[in-house]
Amino acid sequence: LAKTTQPISMDSYEGQEVNITCSHNNIATNDYITWYQQFPSQGPRFIIQGYKTKVTNEVASLFIPADRKSSTLSLPRVSLSDTAVYYCLVGGLSMNTGFQKLVFGTGTRLLVSP
Amino acid sequence: EAGVTQSPTHLIKTRGQQATLRCSPISGHTSVYWYQQALGLGLQFLLWYDEGEERNRGNFPPRFSGRQFPNYSSELNVNALELEDSALYLCASSPLAGGADTQYFGPGTRLTVL
């Protein structure tokens, strides 16, 4: 089962680029990597998902190296409203059992200051 | 399109009682996931239901159980409540079983065990 590790917290300023890395050394062949954003007392909100290389959408980019043992969420120009906890999720169907296995990271608390 | 809904918003129980939490997925979604998020901690995978069947469960004791109804809504039951069961319980739904399906989260039910 893939174990994920993220920095506990990060600080940034408005307008800066923020990169949050998640380590997942035991990632399986069929696992995908998904990042979520969570505000206090709310459910996590989907940001981006990828399998390998680079994925970009309107809010973020996701970089996954060839060995897939880590991934980096990049937020291009953060604002105060980006202050939240960011989770990486590693998971997918097990090829052997057909069961979904889902492992969330410990979460990174991002604080954006003016 | 309505998102994932959960009820109740808050639930207060005493030790030894049973709690029932409910989740309605996004229309058209057949998979429902349950997670436990203790205060200040990350998300722990509890259960995954798809097409009315339990497909997988996380590392939780059998007193955590649930079911999925024909309309794909789901119920989480926690028997013999313990103080450490106090947490935010999140439900998520996805359109397909397994793979790279994006999960959409509800707002959660805050369970407090006294």
Side-chain angles (χ1 to χ4, degrees), chain A residues 32 36 38 41-44 46 49 87 89 91-93 98-102 104-106, chain B residues 33 35 37 41-43 45 48 55-56 88 90 97-103 105-107:
Chain A
Y32 282 75
Y36 289 84
Q38 186 179 29
S41 299
Q42 293 185 24
F46 172 85
Q49 183 181 75
Y87 290 97
L89 168 64
L93 272 177
F99 288 151
Q100 183 81 271
K101 51 184 181 66
L102 300 159
F104 266 91
T106 50
Chain B
Y33 308 82
Y35 294 86
Q37 186 174 34
L41 299 180
L43 288 83
F45 169 64
W48 169 39
R55 301 293 185 180
N56 200 11
L88 181 67
L90 291 160
D101 306 317
T102 300
Q103 296 180 40
F105 284 83

Tab-separated table of all heavy atoms in Angstrom, chain A residues 32 36 38 41-44 46 49 87 89 91-93 98-102 104-106, chain B residues 33 35 37 41-43 45 48 55-56 88 90 97-103 105-107:
chain	number	residue	atom	x	y	z
A	32	TYR	N	-3.123	6.344	-9.726
A	32	TYR	CA	-3.127	7.723	-10.181
A	32	TYR	C	-2.848	8.636	-8.994
A	32	TYR	O	-2.955	8.229	-7.844
A	32	TYR	CB	-4.474	8.080	-10.808
A	32	TYR	CG	-4.639	7.558	-12.207
A	32	TYR	CD1	-4.886	6.208	-12.455
A	32	TYR	CD2	-4.525	8.405	-13.297
A	32	TYR	CE1	-5.032	5.735	-13.746
A	32	TYR	CE2	-4.673	7.949	-14.590
A	32	TYR	CZ	-4.919	6.613	-14.801
A	32	TYR	OH	-5.056	6.147	-16.080
A	36	TYR	N	-6.148	17.497	-3.828
A	36	TYR	CA	-7.361	18.131	-3.352
A	36	TYR	C	-7.012	19.329	-2.475
A	36	TYR	O	-5.964	19.382	-1.843
A	36	TYR	CB	-8.201	17.156	-2.529
A	36	TYR	CG	-8.848	16.062	-3.330
A	36	TYR	CD1	-8.159	14.896	-3.651
A	36	TYR	CD2	-10.154	16.194	-3.776
A	36	TYR	CE1	-8.758	13.896	-4.388
A	36	TYR	CE2	-10.766	15.188	-4.517
A	36	TYR	CZ	-10.064	14.049	-4.815
A	36	TYR	OH	-10.659	13.065	-5.558
A	38	GLN	N	-8.663	21.659	0.722
A	38	GLN	CA	-9.701	21.617	1.738
A	38	GLN	C	-9.657	22.869	2.612
A	38	GLN	O	-8.599	23.192	3.178
A	38	GLN	CB	-9.575	20.367	2.614
A	38	GLN	CG	-10.733	20.215	3.589
A	38	GLN	CD	-10.640	18.962	4.446
A	38	GLN	OE1	-9.562	18.466	4.732
A	38	GLN	NE2	-11.795	18.445	4.853
A	41	SER	N	-13.810	22.901	7.825
A	41	SER	CA	-15.202	22.436	7.926
A	41	SER	C	-15.863	22.217	6.566
A	41	SER	O	-17.092	22.284	6.452
A	41	SER	CB	-16.031	23.424	8.743
A	41	SER	OG	-15.514	23.534	10.044
A	42	GLN	N	-15.079	21.980	5.554
A	42	GLN	CA	-15.623	21.647	4.229
A	42	GLN	C	-14.991	20.363	3.724
A	42	GLN	O	-13.914	19.966	4.178
A	42	GLN	CB	-15.346	22.774	3.228
A	42	GLN	CG	-16.075	24.070	3.515
A	42	GLN	CD	-15.847	25.096	2.432
A	42	GLN	OE1	-15.547	24.765	1.293
A	42	GLN	NE2	-16.001	26.372	2.788
A	43	GLY	N	-15.666	19.729	2.761
A	43	GLY	CA	-15.063	18.567	2.131
A	43	GLY	C	-13.984	18.978	1.155
A	43	GLY	O	-13.992	20.097	0.639
A	44	PRO	N	-13.033	18.104	0.888
A	44	PRO	CA	-11.970	18.419	-0.080
A	44	PRO	C	-12.541	18.686	-1.460
A	44	PRO	O	-13.554	18.108	-1.854
A	44	PRO	CB	-11.114	17.151	-0.076
A	44	PRO	CG	-11.400	16.497	1.239
A	44	PRO	CD	-12.837	16.795	1.521
A	46	PHE	N	-11.565	18.838	-5.601
A	46	PHE	CA	-10.625	18.358	-6.614
A	46	PHE	C	-9.868	19.513	-7.255
A	46	PHE	O	-10.449	20.539	-7.604
A	46	PHE	CB	-11.395	17.589	-7.690
A	46	PHE	CG	-10.570	17.208	-8.890
A	46	PHE	CD1	-9.805	16.058	-8.881
A	46	PHE	CD2	-10.569	18.008	-10.030
A	46	PHE	CE1	-9.052	15.699	-9.985
A	46	PHE	CE2	-9.823	17.650	-11.136
A	46	PHE	CZ	-9.072	16.493	-11.115
A	49	GLN	N	-5.426	15.939	-11.468
A	49	GLN	CA	-5.082	14.521	-11.420
A	49	GLN	C	-4.132	14.180	-12.552
A	49	GLN	O	-4.243	14.739	-13.655
A	49	GLN	CB	-6.354	13.685	-11.536
A	49	GLN	CG	-6.150	12.184	-11.428
A	49	GLN	CD	-7.471	11.447	-11.575
A	49	GLN	OE1	-8.028	11.314	-12.651
A	49	GLN	NE2	-7.995	10.981	-10.445
A	87	TYR	N	-4.058	18.142	-0.081
A	87	TYR	CA	-3.818	16.710	0.076
A	87	TYR	C	-3.500	16.069	-1.264
A	87	TYR	O	-4.126	16.380	-2.275
A	87	TYR	CB	-5.064	16.017	0.627
A	87	TYR	CG	-5.400	16.341	2.053
A	87	TYR	CD1	-6.347	17.323	2.342
A	87	TYR	CD2	-4.805	15.657	3.110
A	87	TYR	CE1	-6.676	17.622	3.657
A	87	TYR	CE2	-5.131	15.951	4.424
A	87	TYR	CZ	-6.066	16.933	4.684
A	87	TYR	OH	-6.390	17.223	5.978
A	89	LEU	N	-3.625	12.357	-3.112
A	89	LEU	CA	-4.274	11.052	-2.993
A	89	LEU	C	-3.659	10.125	-4.025
A	89	LEU	O	-3.615	10.449	-5.211
A	89	LEU	CB	-5.779	11.179	-3.241
A	89	LEU	CG	-6.565	9.877	-3.426
A	89	LEU	CD1	-6.528	9.034	-2.163
A	89	LEU	CD2	-8.003	10.179	-3.834
A	91	GLY	N	-3.977	6.337	-5.565
A	91	GLY	CA	-4.845	5.175	-5.534
A	91	GLY	C	-5.291	4.723	-6.898
A	91	GLY	O	-5.143	5.417	-7.902
A	92	GLY	N	-5.851	3.542	-6.904
A	92	GLY	CA	-6.376	2.976	-8.118
A	92	GLY	C	-6.817	1.561	-7.853
A	92	GLY	O	-6.724	1.063	-6.743
A	93	LEU	N	-7.294	0.923	-8.889
A	93	LEU	CA	-7.731	-0.460	-8.741
A	93	LEU	C	-6.531	-1.378	-8.656
A	93	LEU	O	-5.611	-1.281	-9.447
A	93	LEU	CB	-8.588	-0.871	-9.932
A	93	LEU	CG	-10.084	-0.586	-9.853
A	93	LEU	CD1	-10.740	-1.004	-11.149
A	93	LEU	CD2	-10.709	-1.293	-8.675
A	98	GLY	N	-8.758	-6.310	-7.691
A	98	GLY	CA	-9.825	-5.482	-8.236
A	98	GLY	C	-10.349	-4.475	-7.234
A	98	GLY	O	-11.317	-3.780	-7.496
A	99	PHE	N	-9.720	-4.397	-6.057
A	99	PHE	CA	-10.193	-3.482	-5.031
A	99	PHE	C	-9.529	-2.119	-5.158
A	99	PHE	O	-8.362	-2.012	-5.490
A	99	PHE	CB	-9.896	-4.050	-3.645
A	99	PHE	CG	-10.757	-5.217	-3.259
A	99	PHE	CD1	-10.290	-6.174	-2.394
A	99	PHE	CD2	-12.025	-5.368	-3.785
A	99	PHE	CE1	-11.074	-7.254	-2.036
A	99	PHE	CE2	-12.815	-6.453	-3.438
A	99	PHE	CZ	-12.335	-7.401	-2.554
A	100	GLN	N	-10.321	-1.124	-4.848
A	100	GLN	CA	-9.829	0.243	-4.800
A	100	GLN	C	-8.974	0.418	-3.557
A	100	GLN	O	-9.361	0.029	-2.473
A	100	GLN	CB	-11.020	1.206	-4.723
A	100	GLN	CG	-10.686	2.655	-4.744
A	100	GLN	CD	-10.443	3.166	-6.137
A	100	GLN	OE1	-9.330	3.128	-6.626
A	100	GLN	NE2	-11.487	3.646	-6.789
A	101	LYS	N	-7.780	0.927	-3.709
A	101	LYS	CA	-6.999	1.265	-2.537
A	101	LYS	C	-6.642	2.744	-2.613
A	101	LYS	O	-6.192	3.226	-3.635
A	101	LYS	CB	-5.737	0.397	-2.437
A	101	LYS	CG	-4.902	0.340	-3.685
A	101	LYS	CD	-3.756	-0.637	-3.475
A	101	LYS	CE	-2.891	-0.696	-4.731
A	101	LYS	NZ	-2.200	0.569	-4.994
A	102	LEU	N	-6.918	3.436	-1.552
A	102	LEU	CA	-6.835	4.886	-1.559
A	102	LEU	C	-6.053	5.359	-0.360
A	102	LEU	O	-6.398	5.054	0.773
A	102	LEU	CB	-8.239	5.490	-1.538
A	102	LEU	CG	-9.109	5.092	-2.726
A	102	LEU	CD1	-10.570	5.280	-2.401
A	102	LEU	CD2	-8.718	5.897	-3.941
A	104	PHE	N	-4.544	8.835	1.293
A	104	PHE	CA	-4.376	10.277	1.295
A	104	PHE	C	-3.064	10.640	1.981
A	104	PHE	O	-2.640	9.978	2.935
A	104	PHE	CB	-5.515	10.951	2.064
A	104	PHE	CG	-6.654	11.391	1.192
A	104	PHE	CD1	-7.717	10.551	0.954
A	104	PHE	CD2	-6.656	12.650	0.624
A	104	PHE	CE1	-8.775	10.957	0.149
A	104	PHE	CE2	-7.697	13.066	-0.174
A	104	PHE	CZ	-8.768	12.221	-0.416
A	105	GLY	N	-2.445	11.701	1.502
A	105	GLY	CA	-1.279	12.240	2.182
A	105	GLY	C	-1.697	12.879	3.494
A	105	GLY	O	-2.879	12.995	3.793
A	106	THR	N	-0.691	13.301	4.248
A	106	THR	CA	-0.947	13.896	5.560
A	106	THR	C	-1.462	15.326	5.451
A	106	THR	O	-1.954	15.876	6.423
A	106	THR	CB	0.342	13.893	6.386
A	106	THR	OG1	1.401	14.460	5.598
A	106	THR	CG2	0.727	12.476	6.778
B	33	TYR	N	-17.743	6.672	-1.405
B	33	TYR	CA	-16.618	6.442	-0.505
B	33	TYR	C	-16.885	7.147	0.816
B	33	TYR	O	-17.440	8.251	0.834
B	33	TYR	CB	-15.321	7.002	-1.104
B	33	TYR	CG	-15.016	6.539	-2.512
B	33	TYR	CD1	-15.607	7.151	-3.611
B	33	TYR	CD2	-14.131	5.496	-2.735
B	33	TYR	CE1	-15.332	6.737	-4.894
B	33	TYR	CE2	-13.844	5.075	-4.028
B	33	TYR	CZ	-14.460	5.701	-5.100
B	33	TYR	OH	-14.177	5.282	-6.378
B	35	TYR	N	-14.889	8.486	4.393
B	35	TYR	CA	-13.611	8.786	5.019
B	35	TYR	C	-13.852	9.335	6.421
B	35	TYR	O	-14.864	9.979	6.684
B	35	TYR	CB	-12.828	9.846	4.231
B	35	TYR	CG	-12.367	9.418	2.872
B	35	TYR	CD1	-13.201	9.540	1.758
B	35	TYR	CD2	-11.092	8.898	2.681
B	35	TYR	CE1	-12.766	9.155	0.496
B	35	TYR	CE2	-10.651	8.513	1.422
B	35	TYR	CZ	-11.505	8.648	0.343
B	35	TYR	OH	-11.077	8.259	-0.900
B	37	GLN	N	-12.073	11.881	9.208
B	37	GLN	CA	-11.044	12.894	9.397
B	37	GLN	C	-11.116	13.389	10.842
B	37	GLN	O	-11.966	14.210	11.201
B	37	GLN	CB	-11.217	14.061	8.426
B	37	GLN	CG	-10.074	15.064	8.493
B	37	GLN	CD	-10.182	16.139	7.433
B	37	GLN	OE1	-11.262	16.562	7.059
B	37	GLN	NE2	-9.028	16.603	6.933
B	41	LEU	N	-6.184	16.047	11.677
B	41	LEU	CA	-5.512	14.945	11.001
B	41	LEU	C	-5.982	14.833	9.554
B	41	LEU	O	-6.912	15.507	9.131
B	41	LEU	CB	-5.763	13.628	11.732
B	41	LEU	CG	-5.265	13.561	13.174
B	41	LEU	CD1	-5.573	12.198	13.767
B	41	LEU	CD2	-3.774	13.864	13.238
B	42	GLY	N	-5.341	13.957	8.817
B	42	GLY	CA	-5.691	13.742	7.426
B	42	GLY	C	-6.893	12.828	7.272
B	42	GLY	O	-7.534	12.426	8.231
B	43	LEU	N	-7.201	12.505	6.024
B	43	LEU	CA	-8.348	11.666	5.721
B	43	LEU	C	-7.950	10.186	5.737
B	43	LEU	O	-6.963	9.801	5.111
B	43	LEU	CB	-8.910	12.005	4.344
B	43	LEU	CG	-9.652	13.332	4.213
B	43	LEU	CD1	-8.687	14.474	3.995
B	43	LEU	CD2	-10.656	13.263	3.076
B	45	PHE	N	-9.281	6.459	4.775
B	45	PHE	CA	-10.267	5.746	3.981
B	45	PHE	C	-11.001	4.728	4.830
B	45	PHE	O	-10.381	3.893	5.508
B	45	PHE	CB	-9.573	5.064	2.807
B	45	PHE	CG	-10.422	4.088	2.055
B	45	PHE	CD1	-11.550	4.504	1.368
B	45	PHE	CD2	-10.090	2.747	2.023
B	45	PHE	CE1	-12.324	3.599	0.662
B	45	PHE	CE2	-10.858	1.834	1.317
B	45	PHE	CZ	-11.979	2.259	0.647
B	48	TRP	N	-15.726	1.701	0.648
B	48	TRP	CA	-16.056	2.015	-0.728
B	48	TRP	C	-17.211	1.127	-1.160
B	48	TRP	O	-17.146	-0.082	-1.029
B	48	TRP	CB	-14.843	1.800	-1.637
B	48	TRP	CG	-15.142	1.834	-3.115
B	48	TRP	CD1	-16.005	2.664	-3.769
B	48	TRP	CD2	-14.573	0.986	-4.107
B	48	TRP	NE1	-15.994	2.386	-5.116
B	48	TRP	CE2	-15.130	1.376	-5.354
B	48	TRP	CE3	-13.633	-0.038	-4.084
B	48	TRP	CZ2	-14.780	0.761	-6.556
B	48	TRP	CZ3	-13.279	-0.657	-5.284
B	48	TRP	CH2	-13.851	-0.254	-6.501
B	55	ARG	N	-17.032	-2.806	-1.751
B	55	ARG	CA	-15.903	-3.234	-2.597
B	55	ARG	C	-14.598	-3.288	-1.816
B	55	ARG	O	-13.708	-4.058	-2.142
B	55	ARG	CB	-15.733	-2.270	-3.768
B	55	ARG	CG	-16.949	-2.151	-4.652
B	55	ARG	CD	-17.237	-3.428	-5.405
B	55	ARG	NE	-18.333	-3.273	-6.352
B	55	ARG	CZ	-18.787	-4.233	-7.139
B	55	ARG	NH1	-18.234	-5.435	-7.083
B	55	ARG	NH2	-19.780	-3.994	-7.965
B	56	ASN	N	-14.479	-2.429	-0.814
B	56	ASN	CA	-13.234	-2.410	-0.061
B	56	ASN	C	-13.440	-1.625	1.226
B	56	ASN	O	-14.362	-0.800	1.307
B	56	ASN	CB	-12.105	-1.774	-0.877
B	56	ASN	CG	-10.737	-2.152	-0.374
B	56	ASN	OD1	-10.592	-3.047	0.455
B	56	ASN	ND2	-9.705	-1.478	-0.848
B	88	LEU	N	-14.819	14.295	11.707
B	88	LEU	CA	-15.613	14.704	10.550
B	88	LEU	C	-15.667	13.506	9.609
B	88	LEU	O	-14.622	12.967	9.230
B	88	LEU	CB	-14.971	15.900	9.853
B	88	LEU	CG	-15.691	16.464	8.630
B	88	LEU	CD1	-17.023	17.093	9.025
B	88	LEU	CD2	-14.807	17.482	7.911
B	90	LEU	N	-16.573	12.186	6.034
B	90	LEU	CA	-16.771	12.706	4.687
B	90	LEU	C	-17.204	11.600	3.749
B	90	LEU	O	-16.686	10.489	3.796
B	90	LEU	CB	-15.473	13.330	4.176
B	90	LEU	CG	-15.045	14.615	4.887
B	90	LEU	CD1	-13.564	14.873	4.668
B	90	LEU	CD2	-15.851	15.800	4.380
B	97	ALA	N	-16.394	2.979	-11.184
B	97	ALA	CA	-15.697	2.255	-10.127
B	97	ALA	C	-14.214	2.194	-10.423
B	97	ALA	O	-13.803	1.719	-11.469
B	97	ALA	CB	-16.249	0.840	-10.017
B	98	GLY	N	-13.425	2.648	-9.506
B	98	GLY	CA	-11.992	2.462	-9.581
B	98	GLY	C	-11.284	3.319	-10.601
B	98	GLY	O	-11.832	4.290	-11.104
B	99	GLY	N	-10.066	2.985	-10.876
B	99	GLY	CA	-9.270	3.687	-11.869
B	99	GLY	C	-8.946	5.089	-11.446
B	99	GLY	O	-8.644	5.351	-10.303
B	100	ALA	N	-9.050	6.009	-12.376
B	100	ALA	CA	-8.658	7.384	-12.107
B	100	ALA	C	-9.856	8.263	-11.827
B	100	ALA	O	-9.809	9.449	-12.052
B	100	ALA	CB	-7.899	7.930	-13.301
B	101	ASP	N	-10.923	7.691	-11.321
B	101	ASP	CA	-12.131	8.475	-11.136
B	101	ASP	C	-11.944	9.583	-10.123
B	101	ASP	O	-11.462	9.354	-9.026
B	101	ASP	CB	-13.266	7.569	-10.666
B	101	ASP	CG	-13.457	6.402	-11.593
B	101	ASP	OD1	-13.420	6.620	-12.813
B	101	ASP	OD2	-13.611	5.285	-11.100
B	102	THR	N	-12.368	10.777	-10.501
B	102	THR	CA	-12.314	11.894	-9.586
B	102	THR	C	-13.414	11.754	-8.560
B	102	THR	O	-14.555	11.461	-8.891
B	102	THR	CB	-12.497	13.211	-10.361
B	102	THR	OG1	-11.466	13.332	-11.318
B	102	THR	CG2	-12.466	14.391	-9.405
B	103	GLN	N	-13.055	11.940	-7.301
B	103	GLN	CA	-14.037	11.878	-6.236
B	103	GLN	C	-14.509	13.274	-5.894
B	103	GLN	O	-13.703	14.201	-5.772
B	103	GLN	CB	-13.425	11.224	-5.001
B	103	GLN	CG	-13.031	9.775	-5.228
B	103	GLN	CD	-12.431	9.152	-3.999
B	103	GLN	OE1	-12.890	9.386	-2.887
B	103	GLN	NE2	-11.403	8.365	-4.199
B	105	PHE	N	-16.501	15.426	-3.058
B	105	PHE	CA	-16.791	15.294	-1.640
B	105	PHE	C	-17.995	16.112	-1.205
B	105	PHE	O	-18.264	17.193	-1.743
B	105	PHE	CB	-15.583	15.738	-0.810
B	105	PHE	CG	-14.476	14.729	-0.784
B	105	PHE	CD1	-13.560	14.655	-1.817
B	105	PHE	CD2	-14.355	13.842	0.277
B	105	PHE	CE1	-12.533	13.728	-1.797
B	105	PHE	CE2	-13.331	12.914	0.308
B	105	PHE	CZ	-12.426	12.847	-0.729
B	106	GLY	N	-18.701	15.593	-0.204
B	106	GLY	CA	-19.744	16.339	0.466
B	106	GLY	C	-19.162	17.191	1.566
B	106	GLY	O	-17.952	17.153	1.813
B	107	PRO	N	-20.001	17.935	2.267
B	107	PRO	CA	-19.525	18.841	3.321
B	107	PRO	C	-19.163	18.130	4.612
B	107	PRO	O	-18.509	18.721	5.474
B	107	PRO	CB	-20.710	19.779	3.525
B	107	PRO	CG	-21.896	18.965	3.142
B	107	PRO	CD	-21.443	18.060	2.031
